[in-house]
Amino acid sequence: MNANMSVDNTPHRGKPASDELVPSRYALRIGEIDVLVISDGVLPLPFATMATNVEPAVRTAWLDNLFLPDKFDWALNVIVVRSGGRTILVDSGLGKEFSGFPRAGQLALRLEAAGIDLADLTDVVLTHLHMDHIGGLLGDGIRERLRPDLRIHVAAAEVNFWAAPDFSRTTMPSPIPDVLRATAQRFLKEYHSLLRPFEEEHEVAAGVVVRRTGGHTPGHSVVRLASGGERLTFAGDAVFPVSFEHPEWHNGFEHDPEASVNVRIRLFRELSATRELLVATHLSFPSVGRVAVDGDAFRFVPASWDY
Protein backbone atom coordinates (compact mmCIF):
# COMPACT_ATOMS: atom_id res chain seq x y z
CA MET A 1 0.00 0.00 0.00
CA ASN A 2 1.32 3.45 -0.91
CA ALA A 3 1.86 6.06 1.78
CA ASN A 4 -0.94 8.58 2.05
CA MET A 5 0.46 12.02 1.24
CA SER A 6 -1.12 15.44 1.35
CA VAL A 7 -0.23 19.09 1.56
CA ASP A 8 -0.88 20.20 5.14
CA ASN A 9 -2.12 23.76 4.75
CA THR A 10 -4.49 23.58 7.71
CA PRO A 11 -3.17 25.52 10.71
CA HIS A 12 -3.66 24.05 14.16
CA ARG A 13 -4.64 25.61 17.48
CA GLY A 14 -6.23 28.58 15.77
CA LYS A 15 -2.92 29.92 14.46
CA PRO A 16 -3.26 32.15 11.35
CA ALA A 17 -2.48 30.60 7.98
CA SER A 18 0.88 31.46 6.44
CA ASP A 19 0.70 34.01 3.62
CA GLU A 20 3.65 32.42 1.81
CA LEU A 21 2.91 31.78 -1.84
CA VAL A 22 5.30 28.82 -2.08
CA PRO A 23 4.40 25.65 -0.11
CA SER A 24 6.81 25.09 2.75
CA ARG A 25 5.47 21.92 4.39
CA TYR A 26 4.18 18.60 3.13
CA ALA A 27 2.38 15.98 5.20
CA LEU A 28 2.26 12.22 4.80
CA ARG A 29 1.61 9.12 6.86
CA ILE A 30 3.76 6.04 7.11
CA GLY A 31 1.34 3.52 8.58
CA GLU A 32 0.49 5.00 11.99
CA ILE A 33 3.37 7.51 11.92
CA ASP A 34 2.69 11.14 10.96
CA VAL A 35 5.44 12.89 9.01
CA LEU A 36 5.72 16.56 8.10
CA VAL A 37 8.47 17.63 5.71
CA ILE A 38 9.36 21.28 6.34
CA SER A 39 11.54 23.54 4.22
CA ASP A 40 14.05 25.60 6.18
CA GLY A 41 14.72 27.54 2.97
CA VAL A 42 17.60 27.32 0.52
CA LEU A 43 21.36 27.87 0.43
CA PRO A 44 22.90 29.36 -2.73
CA LEU A 45 26.18 27.46 -3.10
CA PRO A 46 28.54 26.80 -6.03
CA PHE A 47 27.84 23.53 -7.79
CA ALA A 48 31.56 22.70 -7.80
CA THR A 49 31.19 21.79 -4.13
CA MET A 50 28.88 18.93 -5.14
CA ALA A 51 31.38 17.38 -7.52
CA THR A 52 34.94 17.96 -6.42
CA ASN A 53 36.50 14.93 -8.13
CA VAL A 54 35.35 15.58 -11.71
CA GLU A 55 36.50 17.93 -14.46
CA PRO A 56 34.74 21.31 -14.74
CA ALA A 57 33.48 20.45 -18.23
CA VAL A 58 31.75 17.34 -16.85
CA ARG A 59 30.09 19.38 -14.13
CA THR A 60 28.98 21.99 -16.67
CA ALA A 61 27.45 19.33 -18.91
CA TRP A 62 25.42 17.94 -16.00
CA LEU A 63 24.16 21.40 -15.09
CA ASP A 64 23.31 22.32 -18.70
CA ASN A 65 21.30 19.13 -19.07
CA LEU A 66 19.07 20.30 -16.21
CA PHE A 67 19.05 24.01 -17.17
CA LEU A 68 20.77 24.91 -13.92
CA PRO A 69 23.30 27.70 -13.25
CA ASP A 70 26.66 27.00 -11.65
CA LYS A 71 25.48 28.61 -8.42
CA PHE A 72 22.07 27.23 -7.59
CA ASP A 73 19.94 26.74 -4.51
CA TRP A 74 20.56 23.75 -2.26
CA ALA A 75 17.32 22.85 -0.52
CA LEU A 76 17.22 22.58 3.27
CA ASN A 77 14.62 20.05 4.44
CA VAL A 78 13.85 18.78 7.94
CA ILE A 79 11.07 16.50 9.15
CA VAL A 80 8.77 16.37 12.16
CA VAL A 81 7.66 12.86 13.14
CA ARG A 82 4.83 11.91 15.50
CA SER A 83 4.83 8.35 16.81
CA GLY A 84 3.92 6.67 20.10
CA GLY A 85 3.01 9.93 21.79
CA ARG A 86 6.35 11.54 20.92
CA THR A 87 6.98 14.54 18.65
CA ILE A 88 10.40 14.29 17.03
CA LEU A 89 12.27 16.94 15.05
CA VAL A 90 14.91 15.51 12.72
CA ASP A 91 17.57 18.18 12.10
CA SER A 92 16.90 21.89 12.62
CA GLY A 93 18.13 23.70 9.52
CA LEU A 94 20.52 26.64 9.44
CA GLY A 95 18.85 29.10 11.77
CA LYS A 96 19.42 32.86 11.65
CA GLU A 97 22.89 32.95 13.20
CA PHE A 98 24.81 33.16 9.91
CA SER A 99 24.87 36.15 7.58
CA GLY A 100 24.77 35.75 3.82
CA PHE A 101 21.90 33.23 3.72
CA PRO A 102 18.74 35.39 3.84
CA ARG A 103 16.43 32.69 2.44
CA ALA A 104 17.44 30.02 4.95
CA GLY A 105 16.65 29.70 8.64
CA GLN A 106 12.87 29.54 8.22
CA LEU A 107 12.21 26.57 10.53
CA ALA A 108 10.88 28.40 13.60
CA LEU A 109 8.49 30.46 11.48
CA ARG A 110 7.25 27.44 9.58
CA LEU A 111 6.82 25.29 12.68
CA GLU A 112 4.64 28.05 14.10
CA ALA A 113 2.63 28.24 10.86
CA ALA A 114 2.05 24.48 11.14
CA GLY A 115 0.80 24.86 14.71
CA ILE A 116 3.88 23.23 16.26
CA ASP A 117 5.39 24.92 19.29
CA LEU A 118 9.01 24.25 20.23
CA ALA A 119 7.72 23.09 23.62
CA ASP A 120 5.81 20.32 21.81
CA LEU A 121 9.04 18.61 20.83
CA THR A 122 9.91 15.60 22.98
CA ASP A 123 12.95 14.56 20.94
CA VAL A 124 15.42 15.91 18.42
CA VAL A 125 17.43 13.61 16.15
CA LEU A 126 20.52 15.07 14.49
CA THR A 127 21.88 13.36 11.41
CA HIS A 128 25.18 15.17 12.06
CA LEU A 129 26.53 18.42 13.48
CA HIS A 130 27.15 20.57 10.39
CA MET A 131 25.78 24.06 10.90
CA ASP A 132 22.89 23.70 8.43
CA HIS A 133 21.54 20.85 10.58
CA ILE A 134 21.97 22.32 14.07
CA GLY A 135 21.78 26.09 13.54
CA GLY A 136 18.03 26.20 14.04
CA LEU A 137 18.55 25.34 17.71
CA LEU A 138 21.07 28.13 18.32
CA GLY A 139 18.97 31.25 17.81
CA ASP A 140 18.15 33.75 20.53
CA GLY A 141 15.56 32.39 22.94
CA ILE A 142 15.32 28.95 21.30
CA ARG A 143 16.91 27.00 24.15
CA GLU A 144 14.56 28.55 26.70
CA ARG A 145 11.45 27.51 24.71
CA LEU A 146 12.38 23.84 24.63
CA ARG A 147 11.25 21.30 27.21
CA PRO A 148 13.73 20.69 30.03
CA ASP A 149 13.37 16.93 29.45
CA LEU A 150 14.00 17.16 25.69
CA ARG A 151 16.13 14.28 24.41
CA ILE A 152 18.64 15.04 21.64
CA HIS A 153 19.81 11.89 19.87
CA VAL A 154 23.12 11.97 18.03
CA ALA A 155 25.76 9.35 17.33
CA ALA A 156 28.53 9.18 19.93
CA ALA A 157 31.06 9.11 17.09
CA GLU A 158 29.75 12.50 15.94
CA VAL A 159 30.09 14.03 19.38
CA ASN A 160 33.63 12.71 19.73
CA PHE A 161 34.65 13.87 16.25
CA TRP A 162 33.80 17.52 16.83
CA ALA A 163 36.04 17.79 19.87
CA ALA A 164 38.94 18.01 17.38
CA PRO A 165 37.54 17.68 13.83
CA ASP A 166 39.73 16.69 10.88
CA PHE A 167 39.04 18.63 7.66
CA SER A 168 42.02 17.26 5.73
CA ARG A 169 39.88 15.36 3.21
CA THR A 170 37.19 17.99 2.69
CA THR A 171 37.17 20.63 -0.07
CA MET A 172 35.62 23.69 1.51
CA PRO A 173 36.51 27.34 0.96
CA SER A 174 37.70 29.40 3.90
CA PRO A 175 36.31 30.23 6.43
CA ILE A 176 33.71 27.43 6.34
CA PRO A 177 35.75 24.82 8.26
CA ASP A 178 36.35 27.26 11.12
CA VAL A 179 32.65 28.20 11.22
CA LEU A 180 31.60 24.54 11.20
CA ARG A 181 34.00 23.75 14.04
CA ALA A 182 32.96 26.71 16.18
CA THR A 183 29.25 26.06 15.61
CA ALA A 184 29.42 22.37 16.48
CA GLN A 185 31.47 23.00 19.59
CA ARG A 186 29.12 25.77 20.72
CA PHE A 187 26.14 23.46 20.18
CA LEU A 188 27.72 20.64 22.19
CA LYS A 189 28.47 23.04 25.04
CA GLU A 190 24.99 24.59 25.13
CA TYR A 191 23.07 21.31 24.79
CA HIS A 192 25.40 18.92 26.60
CA SER A 193 22.89 18.05 29.32
CA LEU A 194 20.19 17.09 26.80
CA LEU A 195 22.33 14.83 24.59
CA ARG A 196 21.51 11.12 24.38
CA PRO A 197 24.43 9.68 22.36
CA PHE A 198 23.99 6.26 20.77
CA GLU A 199 26.58 3.91 19.28
CA GLU A 200 25.24 2.36 16.06
CA GLU A 201 21.44 2.27 16.22
CA HIS A 202 18.71 3.54 18.52
CA GLU A 203 14.89 3.36 18.52
CA VAL A 204 13.67 6.85 19.36
CA ALA A 205 9.97 5.94 19.34
CA ALA A 206 7.79 3.16 17.98
CA GLY A 207 8.94 2.54 14.41
CA VAL A 208 11.46 5.41 14.44
CA VAL A 209 15.07 4.20 14.32
CA VAL A 210 18.20 6.29 13.87
CA ARG A 211 21.21 4.41 12.45
CA ARG A 212 24.80 5.59 12.06
CA THR A 213 26.19 5.36 8.52
CA GLY A 214 29.40 7.40 8.80
CA GLY A 215 30.93 8.75 5.61
CA HIS A 216 29.79 12.35 5.35
CA THR A 217 30.96 12.75 8.94
CA PRO A 218 32.05 9.93 11.27
CA GLY A 219 28.73 9.96 13.08
CA HIS A 220 26.44 10.81 10.17
CA SER A 221 23.14 8.95 10.58
CA VAL A 222 19.90 8.24 8.75
CA VAL A 223 16.43 7.88 10.23
CA ARG A 224 14.25 4.92 9.20
CA LEU A 225 10.49 4.95 9.75
CA ALA A 226 8.44 1.74 9.57
CA SER A 227 4.77 1.17 10.38
CA GLY A 228 1.94 -0.91 8.93
CA GLY A 229 4.09 -2.31 6.16
CA GLU A 230 5.15 1.16 4.96
CA ARG A 231 8.62 2.66 5.22
CA LEU A 232 10.45 5.95 4.74
CA THR A 233 14.11 6.90 5.13
CA PHE A 234 15.35 10.41 5.93
CA ALA A 235 18.86 10.29 4.47
CA GLY A 236 20.32 13.57 5.71
CA ASP A 237 23.49 14.35 3.75
CA ALA A 238 24.12 10.84 2.45
CA VAL A 239 22.39 12.00 -0.75
CA PHE A 240 22.69 15.07 -3.00
CA PRO A 241 20.98 15.94 -6.30
CA VAL A 242 23.86 14.51 -8.36
CA SER A 243 24.11 11.34 -6.33
CA PHE A 244 21.64 9.21 -8.26
CA GLU A 245 23.32 9.53 -11.66
CA HIS A 246 26.79 9.88 -10.17
CA PRO A 247 27.03 8.31 -6.70
CA GLU A 248 30.82 8.32 -7.17
CA TRP A 249 31.04 12.12 -7.26
CA HIS A 250 32.48 13.56 -4.07
CA ASN A 251 30.92 16.41 -2.13
CA GLY A 252 33.30 18.97 -0.69
CA PHE A 253 31.67 18.72 2.76
CA GLU A 254 32.34 14.98 3.06
CA HIS A 255 34.96 14.19 5.67
CA ASP A 256 35.56 10.73 4.14
CA PRO A 257 34.63 10.91 0.43
CA GLU A 258 35.27 7.24 -0.41
CA ALA A 259 33.24 6.03 2.56
CA SER A 260 30.46 8.43 1.55
CA VAL A 261 30.30 6.85 -1.92
CA ASN A 262 29.95 3.40 -0.35
CA VAL A 263 27.24 4.66 2.02
CA ARG A 264 25.29 6.16 -0.90
CA ILE A 265 25.45 3.08 -3.09
CA ARG A 266 24.52 0.76 -0.23
CA LEU A 267 21.60 3.02 0.74
CA PHE A 268 20.36 3.29 -2.86
CA ARG A 269 20.44 -0.47 -3.26
CA GLU A 270 18.43 -0.91 -0.06
CA LEU A 271 15.86 1.69 -1.06
CA SER A 272 15.45 0.36 -4.59
CA ALA A 273 14.91 -3.15 -3.20
CA THR A 274 12.36 -2.10 -0.54
CA ARG A 275 10.69 0.55 -2.78
CA GLU A 276 10.29 2.72 0.31
CA LEU A 277 10.06 6.50 0.29
CA LEU A 278 13.12 8.73 0.55
CA VAL A 279 13.46 12.25 1.93
CA ALA A 280 16.83 14.01 2.07
CA THR A 281 18.08 17.37 3.30
CA HIS A 282 19.34 18.80 0.02
CA LEU A 283 16.92 17.36 -2.54
CA SER A 284 14.42 19.85 -3.93
CA PHE A 285 11.46 20.29 -1.55
CA PRO A 286 9.53 18.23 -0.58
CA SER A 287 12.08 15.65 -1.80
CA VAL A 288 9.64 12.75 -1.33
CA GLY A 289 10.30 9.97 -3.83
CA ARG A 290 11.73 6.55 -4.50
CA VAL A 291 14.98 5.17 -5.87
CA ALA A 292 15.09 3.06 -9.03
CA VAL A 293 18.06 1.21 -10.52
CA ASP A 294 19.14 2.76 -13.83
CA GLY A 295 21.84 0.61 -15.42
CA ASP A 296 25.01 1.08 -13.41
CA ALA A 297 23.55 4.10 -11.61
CA PHE A 298 20.25 5.08 -10.02
CA ARG A 299 17.26 7.30 -10.69
CA PHE A 300 15.16 9.41 -8.33
CA VAL A 301 11.42 9.02 -8.96
CA PRO A 302 9.52 11.89 -7.29
CA ALA A 303 6.26 10.85 -5.63
CA SER A 304 3.10 12.39 -7.03
CA TRP A 305 1.65 15.17 -4.90
CA ASP A 306 -1.61 14.21 -3.18
CA TYR A 307 -3.76 17.35 -3.02
Side-chain angles (χ1 to χ4, degrees):
M1 183 174 64
N2 292 331
N4 178 27
M5 290 177 283
S6 64
V7 183
D8 179 15
N9 285 321
T10 305
H12 305 283
R13 300 182 177 175
K15 300 260 178 109
S18 170
D19 60 359
E20 292 185 298
L21 297 179
V22 178
S24 61
R25 62 187 190 270
Y26 190 78
L28 61 156
R29 281 178 69 85
I30 303 299
E32 296 301 313
I33 300 175
D34 289 317
V35 183
L36 192 64
V37 184
I38 298 178
S39 169
D40 185 57
V42 293
L43 293 171
L45 293 171
F47 178 71
T49 312
M50 277 195 193
T52 60
N53 61 329
V54 298
E55 294 297 323
V58 177
R59 293 198 299 259
T60 299
W62 189 88
L63 287 165
D64 288 347
N65 189 49
L66 295 176
F67 304 97
L68 291 172
D70 177 67
K71 189 173 185 178
F72 73 99
D73 293 333
W74 293 26
L76 275 176
N77 303 313
V78 309
I79 62 173
V80 176
V81 178
R82 289 192 175 103
S83 178
R86 307 201 73 82
T87 300
I88 306 156
L89 175 67
V90 181
D91 286 344
S92 70
L94 183 71
K96 292 293 188 181
E97 295 287 290
F98 310 99
S99 61
F101 302 106
R103 291 184 293 153
Q106 304 299 317
L107 178 63
L109 173 68
R110 288 171 175 171
L111 283 174
E112 182 179 4
I116 301 171
D117 192 280
L118 289 174
D120 295 336
L121 301 177
T122 61
D123 300 82
V124 172
V125 176
L126 298 173
T127 60
H128 60 298
L129 298 183
H130 278 164
M131 65 187 190
D132 54 328
H133 298 257
I134 62 174
L137 295 175
L138 291 174
D140 288 343
I142 297 293
R143 178 72 167 81
E144 291 74 21
R145 294 170 59 190
L146 296 168
R147 298 162 58 118
D149 61 346
L150 179 75
R151 306 184 307 182
I152 300 179
H153 309 274
V154 61
E158 189 74 0
V159 175
N160 295 336
F161 172 75
W162 287 100
D166 179 7
F167 292 92
S168 62
R169 304 192 66 197
T170 63
T171 309
M172 307 179 199
S174 177
I176 290 179
D178 290 337
V179 175
L180 289 175
R181 179 188 299 107
T183 303
Q185 291 177 349
R186 174 188 165 194
F187 178 86
L188 291 172
K189 180 179 180 180
E190 291 189 15
Y191 283 95
H192 176 76
S193 64
L194 303 183
L195 295 182
R196 300 295 183 270
F198 64 92
E199 293 301 324
E200 297 297 326
E201 186 172 290
H202 175 66
E203 186 173 37
V204 179
V208 182
V209 175
V210 56
R211 174 167 61 88
R212 188 180 78 87
T213 64
H216 187 73
T217 62
H220 180 276
S221 303
V222 301
V223 179
R224 312 296 292 265
L225 311 180
S227 175
E230 299 174 2
R231 297 175 63 173
L232 178 148
T233 289
F234 182 80
D237 280 12
V239 177
F240 297 93
V242 299
S243 298
F244 301 93
E245 294 175 74
H246 298 287
E248 77 282 2
W249 286 10
H250 296 171
N251 186 286
F253 287 82
E254 292 169 339
H255 292 255
D256 189 334
E258 289 79 14
S260 296
V261 170
N262 292 333
V263 166
R264 267 194 290 281
I265 293 174
R266 184 166 58 248
L267 181 62
F268 284 160
R269 286 174 176 164
E270 291 176 6
L271 298 181
S272 64
T274 63
R275 304 172 69 90
E276 68 192 83
L277 291 172
L278 166 70
V279 174
T281 304
H282 298 299
L283 299 183
S284 185
F285 176 84
S287 82
V288 181
R290 291 181 170 84
V291 179
V293 177
D294 191 3
D296 293 330
F298 302 89
R299 181 166 49 91
F300 181 64
V301 184
S304 297
W305 280 62
D306 186 4
Y307 295 91

